[in-house]
Every structure is written in C-alpha cells, then in structure tokens.
Amino acid sequence: MSRRAVNPGRRGSDGGLPTVASLLHHKSRSPSVLTMALLALGVIILIVYFNSGSGGLQIPSFGVAVTSRESVSRAEGSCTSEVIQALPYLKKAYGSAMQKVLHVGPDSCTVVSNLLKEGKEAWGVEPYDLDDADSSCKSLVRKGFVRLSDIKFSLPYRPDSFNLVVVSDALDYLTPRYLNKTLPDLARVSTDGLVIFTGNPGQQKAKVSELPKFGRPAKLRSNSWWTRYFIQTGLTENEGPLKKFEQAASKGNYEPDCQIFHLNS
C-alpha cells in the first residue's frame, strides 16, 4: 500500500505531524508528545521493514488474498496429484481389483512408486518426455515398471493385462479424433474397469511452462460432455465401485478438484 512522502519543510502549525528532529531540538515539548511521536515512528519503521521483502513477513495489500503454496499448485492443475489423494478411497471402492493397476499419465512414476510400496502390482505409462526425471523414476523405467508411450497409438500390453486402469492429465490433451482410438484401447487392457481423472473447467489450467511438452493446451470439458462421449463410445458407468468410492470419500471429507469417472471396461 503506497504512502505519501512526508515534506520535511512542513511545520506543526500547518496541521501536520511534528517531525522527530523538531521534537528532539525543542525540549520544551511535553514528554507525552515525544513518546507518542516515537511510537508512531516505530510503527512506521516496522511497516517498512515487513513490506521490504528482505526476509520479513509479507503484509498483503487490501483486497489481495493470501494463498498457500499448496492452494496455488492445486489451482494450476494436476489430476495426477489428485490420484495420490484418491488412492485410499479407490482401494475401498475396488478392493482386490487394486492388486494389479496400470496408471496412464504424467508423473506416473509417483503413482507407481506409491502402489509398489503398498505391495500392489503396478505399472505406468508416461505419455511425455522424462528428461527431468529423478533417479528413482529412471530406475522404474529401466526395470520396465514405467514405459514411455504415445497414447495416441496402441498401448504396449496384451488384452486384459490389468485389473484396473487409472488415467490422469492425459485425455484432456487429446482431440476427439484420438480419443476415439485411445479410450477403447485403455478398456482393452483392463478387466475390471477404468478410472479417469479429467480437469474441471473454470478451476484448472495447464501451466504455460508445460505447453511445449504437451504440444497443445488442455481442453477442459464439462461433465455432461464426457458423459455423452462415453455413451457414444460404448463405455458405461461402473455403478458398484462408484457408489463405494463416493461413500468412502464422503466419510473422509474428500472433495476432488478434478472430475472422476468410473467406467466398465
């Protein structure tokens, strides 16, 4: 919040606050006035220090909301991070079908690593480059747990290779032309269903830095658009796991930022 500079030549008789110099040179002023002036000076110094940005607490301007790092990252959009949050509820909804899972989408190494630590059989398909992957992710790639594959073409797996296929941050970047090929192929490798996480229009946007990697901005489609498209593609809602998932999420006060669809394969 900007402050008007104090004119040092202005006198007390002009109606302005007395300067510190005038208070110090005129000892005849009462101690109470001096005390008040010093207190005011201290407050001003503290405000300047806190707003300086040099390690101090940032005091926001009026009308500007303070947001945490977590809330900023969620607003920028990552349905793969949403998958991590949803895993406990997916386990309750799908039970034994979570024993053999394929995750398709960016940051697949994180999802696969989480599932492997819990004793699940897990594999991943990373549709984008892994130039900036860490050593643990590269290890999963070397061991074959995570593969790099363009999902616009057939997945490198046989039919019914997995119980459950979970997809995130991938279908939003495909045009209907490629969705017509990719969705049936995802269903082909699954025996118990598909769980698809898509962006929510008006809440999430692709990061500008990610656009070169994805090749095109995300197309965030509405729930009704996806529902119509799934019906046209011949994919029906997986009602049993859907109800169990919603019940578990309600008990855990979990409210996803992404759209989540449970489909029969």
Side-chain angles (χ1 to χ4, degrees):
M1 184 165 56
S2 61
R3 295 180 179 275
R4 185 173 57 186
V6 177
N7 185 351
R10 194 170 184 174
R11 298 178 180 272
S13 59
D14 295 332
L17 290 174
T19 63
V20 176
S22 64
L23 290 171
L24 293 176
H25 286 292
H26 296 278
K27 296 183 180 180
S28 60
R29 301 288 179 94
S30 63
S32 60
V33 175
L34 177 60
T35 301
M36 291 175 62
L38 290 175
L39 286 173
L41 177 63
V43 170
I44 293 172
I45 292 174
L46 287 174
I47 292 174
V48 172
Y49 172 76
F50 284 141
N51 281 282
S52 64
S54 57
L57 174 68
Q58 296 294 313
I59 298 179
S61 301
F62 291 108
V64 179
V66 181
T67 55
S68 65
R69 181 181 297 273
E70 179 183 1
S71 62
V72 170
S73 64
R74 288 174 69 85
E76 289 176 335
S78 172
C79 286
T80 299
S81 63
E82 191 81 63
V83 172
I84 301 299
Q85 297 179 60
L87 281 179
Y89 311 106
L90 289 173
K91 294 170 192 170
K92 293 181 180 179
Y94 287 91
S96 60
M98 285 291 292
Q99 188 58 38
K100 197 171 185 180
V101 180
L102 173 69
H103 174 261
V104 179
D107 203 16
S108 196
C109 288
T110 302
V111 178
V112 171
S113 179
N114 272 269
L115 290 169
L116 289 175
K117 289 176 182 177
E118 296 179 2
K120 310 293 184 183
E121 295 183 54
W123 288 264
V125 171
E126 170 64 60
Y128 312 111
D129 293 334
L130 286 173
D131 297 335
D132 55 350
D134 57 24
S135 58
S136 61
C137 183
K138 290 179 180 178
S139 175
L140 289 173
V141 173
R142 285 195 304 270
K143 294 175 181 178
F145 287 104
V146 175
R147 294 188 181 186
L148 274 71
S149 180
D150 191 337
I151 62 173
K152 293 193 295 291
F153 305 98
S154 295
L155 296 172
Y157 301 105
R158 295 178 180 178
D160 302 333
S161 294
F162 310 95
N163 297 127
L164 193 68
V165 173
V166 180
V167 189
S168 61
D169 290 326
L171 300 185
D172 290 328
Y173 293 89
L174 297 182
T175 62
R177 171 191 172 189
Y178 288 111
L179 281 174
N180 290 336
K181 299 177 180 179
T182 299
L183 271 175
D185 197 48
L186 293 170
R188 175 184 66 85
V189 300
S190 169
T191 61
D192 294 292
L194 307 173
V195 181
I196 297 176
F197 290 71
T198 67
N200 214 343
Q203 292 186 14
Q204 295 162 312
K205 294 181 180 179
K207 297 177 183 178
V208 174
S209 60
E210 289 179 344
L211 293 182
K213 181 170 70 172
F214 294 136
R216 58 180 292 115
K219 178 71 173 179
L220 302 184
R221 304 166 173 110
S222 67
N223 184 287
S224 59
W225 189 96
W226 281 112
T227 300
R228 289 194 301 270
Y229 186 80
F230 293 143
I231 293 174
Q232 294 170 5
T233 313
L235 294 171
T236 58
E237 192 174 72
N238 202 348
E239 294 182 3
L242 169 60
K243 291 179 180 178
K244 292 179 181 179
F245 180 85
E246 290 178 342
Q247 290 172 0
S250 178
K251 290 180 180 179
N253 294 322
Y254 169 63
E255 296 181 2
D257 287 338
C258 296
Q259 301 179 97
I260 305 177
F261 300 95
H262 301 259
L263 305 172
N264 288 302
S265 54

